[in-house]
Amino acid sequence: MASAQSEQPPRKRRRKTLVSTGSYVLRSLVEDIVLSTEESVKRVQISCIEVWEGNLYIGTSAAEILHYVSIPADSHGSPASLSYIFASRLQPSFTQASDASKPAPGVQQILVLPKVAKACVLCNGTLTFYTLPELSPAFGTVVSNCTWVGGINQNEGEEIDGNGETIMLCLRSQIRLVNIGDKPRKVKNIEYPACLSTTRRDNFACVADAQSYALLDIEHQQKIPLFPISSLDENASGGQIEDISPKVEPGRPLPGSGANDSRGHGRSTSLGTFVSGLGRRSPQSRSRERSAHMAAEQGGRPLSPFDPSDRPRSESLAASPARRSSTSGKPLPPPPAQQFTQEDTPGISVPISISLVPHVCSPTPTEFLLTTGTTMDDPGVGIFVNLDGDVVRGTLQFDTYPSSVVVAGTGVDEQGRTPGNNGSGDGFVLAIVSQKLEDSERKVIEIQRWDMENGGGKEILEVPFPFEEDDDEDAEFDTRGVALRSLHSGSSVPFPEVGEKLRAVRMELPGRRLANSPKQDENGPSLREQWQMKRNSDEEDFARRLGSQHSHIAVWSGSSIWLVTRNPLVMQLDGSIDRVMDAVMEEESVSVDRDQIIRIVNHVRGQEPSTETEYLSLKYIRQKSSLILIADMIAQSSSSLDIASADWRITEGLLMEGGVDPRVTLSLIPVLHEEIVEGPNGIWIHAGLVSVAEHYSRTLLDSPAAEFQQNKIFGNDATLNVIKRYLSAWRQRKGFGSIADEVEVFLSVDAALLRVLLHQDLMSFTKGGNPSAVRSELYTLVDHGIECFERAVAILEQYHRLYVLSRLYQSRKLSGKVLETWRRILEGEQDDGGEFRDGESEVCKYLTKIKDVSLIHEYGTWLAQKNPGLGVQVFSDDNSRVKFTPQETVKLLQDRAPEAVKVYLEHLVFGKKNVQYANNLISYYLDSVLDVLGSSEDAGSILLQSYEAYRALQPPKPTYRQFIIDNSVPEAWWHDRLRLLELLGGSHGADFNYDVNSILTRIEPFEQHLVPESIILDGRQGRHQQALRLLTHGLGDYHTAISYCLMGGASMFHPMSGALTQDAGSAGEDQSTLFDYLLTEFLEIDEISNRLERTSELLERFGAWYDVGQVIERIPDGWSVELVSGFLVGAFRRLMHDKNEAMIAKALSGAENLQVAAVLVEKCSASPQVESVQ
């Protein structure tokens, strides 16, 4: 973090940057510390450190404390970074050891007491007190023969409550609880001699001496022996509760309750059995340790200012040598040997000969972590015990017995959750262990989880070697100078790498299209360049605020101190991803270990961020992973490799969850990268994504096989489906305010999705599949507001999908473009979709729904030219939004679509019964028929043959009208002739008149071909006899001839159900006359059998219209009476009927006369009566 400023320049050293994907990393706190100013002093090492509110205290083996103070970082540094500068060098007071041959340990412990702003310094077995932060002497007292100081209650906070801070002083003969406030005050003594380490939770403390661990109930003065530090120790026994209350003289009561106090700790354990199998020690080693312990106990009582029975303070002070002056000229306190709060400190030099250093840590309020083993070079074991002394959890395994142990984190709860976010609450154990190399040994930090089974997998963090390899002076460096320490306040550690990865940078994408051009200033950079420079500056400032971690663990080696800090999650996972990518790049391949990437992503699945850095980190990891997976998917698609369906789903989910700008994703996909639209401000993504995007862009787009890969990718349905769903999901985000560059993003997304759907639709159509599903999606896209309108038009033109293009125009209500596109399709231009099957009808329907008169005129008449029937519907539809009068329509059609005029007139005359235009229609029909007859002999032959064929039919036969309908010729003129006959025959009633003479004049040259027309016109002129002659002899249509007579000379083509009156030509003529004409014509039929049959049938059926006498006179004499017997019988019956009717009428009249006469007689015989008038 910073270099220490000292009196001498730092020595040259080699620095090595360590890149780690582990849970913890090292960050320099202070480097090149001048540990000693005296050159004659042997190698000085750091023995302990502590940090409190920006003050760094470094204890050395030379019995000195180096005081460093922090200064804020410069304006360009991270706000979390601090630099430390040297402030003073202090020498704590201590009592000279009687055995000068043993090296003094120096400063052993520095214990800060934040509640009272004091510090305890244990130096060479002497404890002194100082004020914070300048370390001025406090109380003026010294405690000799102290082996350890600590035991602060870890269940209490640091709030100042006025009660002071209670600590545990470990003396040779006992442990003394002392309350530090305005002055030291003894609380109680605990009979536990030669304690080397303590950790306290409320009234329970876990302690250790040179041989074993024990659990103390401080309030009730009870002890549960646990297990030996070394499993070779056979004498250590545990499990039974022991009373350790002080022994009192006879007659002197013991304060507090006695041994029978029911509040005592009533549990027993079998920890001795648990560790009994770990190993045995030799009797010689046990004897040596016992003798050493006894020698220590015979050394006498220590001097303490806290016990009234101790010697006076003046005597204690006199016993200590004069204090040495520091570089700042003020006296200083004694150094510590070992400090325990949540961890153990480096190896402590104690007067007792021990093979293993005890370590006591407390990861939770109800658990302690203890270490045991055999020797320092053999593996160690970490055992968890609870407040009852029972073993809990599993054990931890250390590669060698650790020289320092620290615990961190709160651990996971019963539901597997951690109180912290982003892994900050995970429980870890960090230990300094030895690692054997080929010809040397080094110290490393072994990291494992205490809140997971089997430690959650071990990690090794290397501690940098402190000196140059060729430094002969340091060749004998003692590796025991490497140690871990849990700091009180800790320090904030900046990670500028996090900001560099998470900051946004502008990315240059291949094939992009600029939305618009920036304005250029003649005298300076463009506005876009100015904006970009400002954005870069803002991103740099933003990056400096990211990635800060708080660390309370330090490790030192040689003259340097590092903070052991949690590696930010983004650094861990990004480092793991980079390792996967490094393997890909080394092999110049695009195929990655997908399983490894998915495992990395699963590590953060379900995590919810609580800070801005965590939010960006999770987002960044998901985005990077999703880019790699989608790129790998595309690469494997191009190489025809199969991808599991689960991988497809994971890739889809990551793409949406990560939220990477879809234009970056599109930049990796051949063809679709051409649809990227870049705004004037460019495309900004996390800086850490740029290398991935550029690598795959070069591999997939710029390689010689790019075109081959493109064909493979677009031939893979699974790949296209993933891309389609991804782009469709992005379209659903329209309108979200959180999307940057929303306009350009959705321009790109819509264009790319359109191309994917077009290609899928083409594939399904080519393979003969059912394109309805994809086509429905395609229609939905273009019908519901596609953003990239102009680009979509170009794409649809490129793919020759004109009908889809017309739907796009419809979505924008561009009626003119819609009709123009449809006209292009109907006129034969290429349309690969083939959807516009009934195109003319679609045009007709569309024209009736729009209001633009000019478009209706243009495309209605165009349609009328192409399909007169549909074209006329445009102008005649009653549901049309624009109404046209017949006069307007006729004139418009005559000018632009002459062939449709006749169809429109038919609609008016036959459909609307508008006889106003019947003459015009007759004229059109005559023109059509006469032109054909005049130009084609075949047409005349057809008509003549039809007459001959009809005459050849034997009765009963249909009427001629029905005959020509049933045997219609598929020609327009034939249809026109039928319509002409219908009009001439008076189908529109007697009120409809036309110019008979002009029509006769026109058809006169074709009179023999137009027999029915002549019959109708003769009837209209009153020449009924001529008309009946043509019907009888010209056509042979006897049935129509009879109908003609019955209807009083009406047209033979008039509907039989219609009630018509006689026209002007037949006025004064009645049916009897017409039947008389018909009888005459029947009697002139050439064929005798036909003549006899038709005449007898006529007389028999319609004899009522004839006079019997006249008929008898006109029948040839040669006819048999039998031929007209039916007529005669009918006539006689009618005569008899008439006679009978006359007789009945006469009789009825006589009866009526009698009745009247009777009434008259009755009235006459009555007497007269006079009635008075009032």
Side-chain angles (χ1 to χ4, degrees), residues 525-820:
S526 66
L527 296 178
R528 183 177 67 177
E529 292 173 349
Q530 295 176 11
W531 182 90
Q532 184 172 342
M533 289 187 291
K534 183 179 183 303
R535 173 74 183 269
N536 284 327
S537 176
D538 293 342
E539 289 294 337
E540 291 175 359
D541 294 339
F542 173 72
R544 295 190 189 101
R545 304 198 303 268
L546 300 177
S548 176
Q549 296 280 336
H550 187 80
S551 175
H552 66 90
I553 303 174
V555 63
W556 62 84
S557 175
S559 61
S560 297
I561 302 174
W562 295 269
L563 288 174
V564 184
T565 180
R566 281 301 303 270
N567 195 12
L569 183 63
V570 66
M571 299 297 297
Q572 297 181 48
L573 300 182
D574 192 56
S576 300
I577 294 174
D578 287 342
R579 289 185 178 181
V580 178
M581 291 301 299
D582 289 343
V584 173
M585 295 179 182
E586 288 177 2
E587 299 174 2
E588 297 183 355
S589 171
V590 292
S591 180
V592 300
D593 186 350
R594 296 181 62 88
D595 294 338
Q596 182 65 24
I597 297 294
I598 292 173
R599 281 194 294 270
I600 294 172
V601 175
N602 287 338
H603 188 80
V604 298
R605 188 171 300 279
Q607 290 193 16
E608 293 296 332
S610 60
T611 65
E612 184 178 29
T613 300
E614 291 175 9
Y615 170 76
L616 293 174
S617 298
L618 295 175
K619 179 181 176 183
Y620 166 77
I621 291 299
R622 293 181 179 117
Q623 289 184 358
K624 189 168 185 177
S625 301
S626 64
L627 283 180
I628 294 174
L629 291 178
I630 188 66
D632 180 69
M633 179 187 71
I634 295 170
Q636 293 194 33
S637 299
S638 64
S639 57
S640 301
L641 296 178
D642 293 332
I643 301 177
S645 59
D647 283 358
W648 293 114
R649 293 192 297 271
I650 293 173
T651 303
E652 286 184 58
L654 274 179
L655 282 172
M656 293 310 303
E657 189 178 2
V660 66
D661 191 322
R663 293 175 292 179
V664 180
T665 306
L666 293 177
S667 69
L668 309 178
I669 305 175
V671 178
L672 299 186
H673 74 282
E674 300 173 358
E675 305 308 327
I676 298 173
V677 178
E678 181 179 325
N681 296 329
I683 300 174
W684 293 75
I685 62 173
H686 292 301
L689 303 179
V690 173
S691 60
V692 174
E694 290 179 347
H695 166 72
Y696 282 109
S697 178
R698 289 192 304 268
T699 305
L700 296 174
L701 304 181
D702 300 335
S703 65
E707 183 175 354
F708 172 76
Q709 292 176 349
Q710 167 187 332
N711 296 332
K712 283 286 188 179
I713 293 168
F714 277 82
N716 190 309
D717 287 335
T719 304
L720 291 179
N721 284 330
V722 171
I723 297 172
K724 177 181 68 177
R725 288 191 292 268
Y726 168 65
L727 296 175
S728 298
W730 258 101
R731 289 194 82 240
Q732 296 177 4
R733 296 185 177 186
K734 286 186 179 181
F736 286 17
S738 60
I739 298 176
D741 300 330
E742 181 179 8
V743 174
E744 291 78 16
V745 165
F746 290 112
L747 286 175
S748 306
V749 167
D750 286 355
L753 180 58
L754 178 61
R755 294 194 74 157
V756 171
L757 290 174
L758 286 172
H759 197 83
Q760 281 193 312
D761 184 64
L762 180 62
M763 287 174 56
S764 62
F765 188 77
T766 303
K767 294 178 180 179
N770 184 12
S772 59
V774 176
R775 190 158 293 177
S776 176
E777 293 177 298
L778 178 61
Y779 291 164
T780 301
L781 174 65
V782 298
D783 290 347
H784 294 83
I786 193 169
E787 298 292 335
C788 55
F789 177 73
E790 295 181 356
R791 179 58 182 166
V793 171
I795 292 173
L796 293 172
E797 291 281 5
Q798 177 184 348
Y799 278 79
H800 302 293
R801 300 301 297 272
L802 297 183
Y803 177 71
V804 182
L805 176 60
S806 71
R807 295 185 70 116
L808 177 62
Y809 286 137
Q810 287 186 66
S811 69
R812 296 297 181 95
K813 301 187 183 304
L814 300 175
S815 302
K817 290 291 186 179
V818 173
L819 293 168
E820 179 186 355

Side-chain angles (χ1 to χ4, degrees), residues 339-361:
Q339 186 265 353
F340 271 65
T341 311
Q342 275 188 316
E343 72 295 319
D344 201 4
T345 55
I348 313 169
S349 176
V350 295
I352 302 172
S353 174
I354 59 174
S355 59
L356 298 179
V357 178
H359 300 293
V360 182
C361 307

Side-chain angles (χ1 to χ4, degrees), residues 298-309:
Q298 294 172 359
R301 288 175 59 86
L303 300 179
S304 173
F306 313 120
D307 191 343
S309 64

Side-chain angles (χ1 to χ4, degrees), residues 843-889:
V843 174
C844 178
K845 293 177 183 178
Y846 190 77
L847 287 172
T848 61
K849 297 177 182 179
I850 63 176
K851 292 183 178 181
D852 193 323
V853 176
S854 61
L855 289 178
I856 297 175
H857 284 176
E858 178 181 357
Y859 289 96
T861 54
W862 168 80
L863 182 60
Q865 293 176 356
K866 191 173 185 64
N867 188 329
L870 290 174
V872 166
Q873 289 184 23
V874 175
F875 301 98
S876 60
D877 194 334
D878 293 335
N879 297 322
S880 177
R881 303 185 69 178
V882 179
K883 308 297 182 182
F884 295 93
T885 64
Q887 295 84 353
E888 293 175 338
T889 305

Side-chain angles (χ1 to χ4, degrees), residues 124-146:
N124 292 331
T126 302
L127 180 67
T128 52
F129 299 89
Y130 300 89
T131 60
L132 296 175
E134 70 278 1
L135 294 185
S136 298
F139 309 140
T141 58
V142 175
V143 181
S144 301
N145 296 323
C146 184

Side-chain angles (χ1 to χ4, degrees), residues 243-265:
D243 185 4
I244 57 174
S245 58
K247 301 298 185 293
V248 298
E249 298 177 1
R252 182 178 179 181
L254 179 67
S257 59
N260 296 328
D261 193 341
S262 62
R263 293 176 298 168
H265 203 88

Side-chain angles (χ1 to χ4, degrees), residues 1032 1038 1078-1085 1091 1094-1095 1098:
T1032 304
Y1038 310 118
L1078 182 59
L1079 178 59
T1080 302
E1081 298 302 325
F1082 276 11
L1083 292 173
E1084 294 179 358
I1085 294 175
R1091 181 195 314 159
R1094 294 302 105 212
T1095 302
L1098 175 64

